[in-house]
Amino acid sequence: MARKASISMKDVAALAGVSLGTVSNVVNSPALVSPATRERVETAIAKLGWVPNESARQLRAGRSSAVGLVVMDIANPFFTDVLRGVEDHVLERGYSVQVGNSASQPQREDDQLRLFEQQRVRGVLCAPIWGVNQRVEDLRRRGIPVVLVDRAPEESGFCSVSVDDVEGGRLAVDHLVRLGHRRIALVGGPGRLQQIRDRRLGADLARAEHGDVVDLLTLSTSGLDTTAGVLAADELAALPDRERPTAAFAANDLLAIGLLQGFVTHGMRVPEDMALIGYDDISFAAAAAVPLSSVRQPRVDLGRRAAELLFEEIEADDEDRPHEHQAVRFTPTLVVRRSTAGPGPQRHG
């Protein structure tokens, strides 16, 4: 069977009786073409079923109509919600989103950023693992705008969108202390992550606000997923009753769900034997076997605002005008559900 010949711009121009340049203008700059001619070209496009070659157009222009997004863990619903917010705005602008998953591995993060640079994306949204690295600096020097997501940089050379994790950690531990807990486990790591450090700092602030009557047990984990939570539950369950915390604050909801699973395996009841609060308030938190209290981050709003900042910088570059970098910080809120309650009389310490 003979292969069907592909339809080209030349075919459209011949059917419409116009030049190739006129067809190009109808596709890319329709305001430059008279309504009658534009209608004739559009009719020809519809009749032939021609689809413009976007890749070729971008190659000629030397730039892409896509933006890149690098996240630390695409399996974490926190980042899928961030992506939703990013896409909402990017699609409104007529662009697409290319997503790269660093999997919390610095080399993979570097590889993803290098790939975006090679693809000439118009800008990059990056949730960095350890902060601004050399690859991010290189992107900026080469004229590719970068906005940091879920990270407040120490330097002012980048726009950023983040959540006040110090306040989030304070909210979580303050809630547990007000319920009567005096031994609280802080579960989650690695401690090098800025978000983890900030949440622990907030926990320390809450303890200080209550007169340092609270013991905080810091339990680092190798990851921030349910498997790490189950392993952390094993460690807590193995402690003697007199030493075991009566409440746990997990650094994210995936850890909290893993902790919940582990506690059930060990015959521990939540919240009667162990109160539990997470962080992020992903949809799974409310749907857990014991609905989880959590510190809510405005994930979709965070993604959308990051995309808005990126396009503000892109437009400033295109128009050759100054751009002032902004550091946007959202405030988290406490969501109380069944997983938190005061300690049982026999466990109060």
Side-chain angles (χ1 to χ4, degrees):
M1 181 176 178
R3 185 178 177 182
K4 183 178 179 181
S6 61
I7 304 300
S8 70
M9 185 186 292
K10 285 184 178 180
D11 298 317
V12 174
L15 182 60
V18 298
S19 67
L20 290 174
T22 299
V23 176
S24 177
N25 283 337
V26 169
V27 174
N28 300 303
S29 303
L32 299 177
V33 184
S34 68
T37 301
R38 186 166 67 242
E39 181 179 0
R40 201 161 71 246
V41 172
E42 289 172 346
T43 299
I45 290 173
K47 184 174 181 179
L48 294 172
W50 177 65
V51 178
N53 188 330
E54 179 64 14
S55 296
R57 187 191 69 80
Q58 293 175 16
L59 185 62
R60 289 192 299 271
R63 61 178 55 177
S64 168
S65 61
V67 300
L69 170 65
V70 180
V71 299
M72 290 172 55
D73 181 8
I74 197 62
N76 187 335
F78 169 83
F79 286 112
T80 55
D81 287 345
V82 169
L83 172 59
R84 282 175 49 209
V86 169
E87 281 190 325
D88 284 348
H89 187 69
V90 170
L91 293 177
E92 289 175 5
R93 295 289 193 132
Y95 281 64
S96 62
V97 183
Q98 297 181 14
V99 181
N101 178 31
S102 72
S104 295
Q105 299 174 25
Q107 185 58 55
R108 281 190 58 163
E109 178 182 274
D110 189 80
D111 292 343
Q112 292 287 354
L113 292 172
R114 183 175 65 251
L115 182 62
F116 285 155
E117 180 183 358
Q118 293 171 351
Q119 293 172 338
R120 300 292 192 270
V121 296
R122 289 294 285 120
V124 171
L125 299 156
C126 181
I129 303 169
W130 304 129
V132 176
N133 60 21
Q134 188 59 50
R135 181 66 63 181
V136 173
E137 294 281 7
D138 289 345
L139 287 171
R140 181 177 62 174
R141 279 196 295 271
R142 288 167 182 151
I144 299 177
V146 178
V147 172
L148 304 180
V149 180
D150 195 32
R151 175 63 64 106
E154 296 179 358
E155 59 280 336
S156 59
F158 296 89
C159 283
S160 66
V161 178
S162 62
V163 175
D164 188 347
D165 285 317
V166 175
E167 173 63 8
R170 191 199 69 79
L171 283 172
V173 171
D174 176 73
H175 171 62
L176 295 173
V177 174
R178 289 180 184 277
L179 288 173
H181 295 280
R182 296 297 178 264
R183 295 194 302 273
I184 301 171
L186 307 180
V187 181
R192 284 181 61 193
L193 284 175
Q194 183 65 50
Q195 295 91 330
I196 302 300
R197 293 203 303 268
D198 286 348
R199 291 166 199 180
R200 289 177 179 175
L201 175 57
D204 285 333
L205 291 177
R207 175 174 58 179
E209 289 173 359
H210 289 277
D212 292 320
V213 298
V214 179
D215 290 329
L216 296 178
L217 170 65
T218 300
L219 187 60
S220 291
T221 58
S222 59
L224 293 167
D225 53 18
T226 54
T227 299
V230 171
L231 294 175
D234 292 342
E235 292 189 49
L236 291 173
L239 294 173
D241 280 354
R242 65 182 180 278
E243 297 178 15
R244 187 186 307 135
T246 60
F249 166 37
N252 73 6
D253 287 337
L254 292 181
L255 278 171
I257 291 170
L259 283 165
L260 178 60
Q261 293 173 355
F263 292 148
V264 170
T265 299
H266 288 284
M268 297 170 60
R269 300 168 300 165
V270 174
E272 293 85 355
D273 299 321
M274 181 75 72
L276 179 59
I277 186 169
Y279 204 101
D280 291 339
D281 195 34
I282 61 177
S283 58
F284 295 145
V290 178
L292 289 170
S293 295
S294 187
V295 176
R296 176 179 293 164
Q297 299 199 75
R299 304 170 303 280
V300 175
D301 291 343
L302 189 150
R304 184 178 184 87
R305 188 68 185 108
E308 290 172 350
L309 290 177
L310 183 64
F311 277 95
E312 288 174 12
E313 187 166 353
I314 288 171
E315 289 173 349
D317 288 350
D318 287 347
E319 297 168 10
D320 196 24
R321 55 180 171 81
H323 172 75
E324 184 174 344
H325 293 298
Q326 300 179 55
V328 176
R329 177 165 290 188
F330 289 93
T331 301
T333 55
L334 178 68
V335 180
V336 178
R337 299 190 180 97
R338 282 174 45 202
S339 69
T340 50
Q346 74 279 13
R347 301 273 340 269
H348 198 291

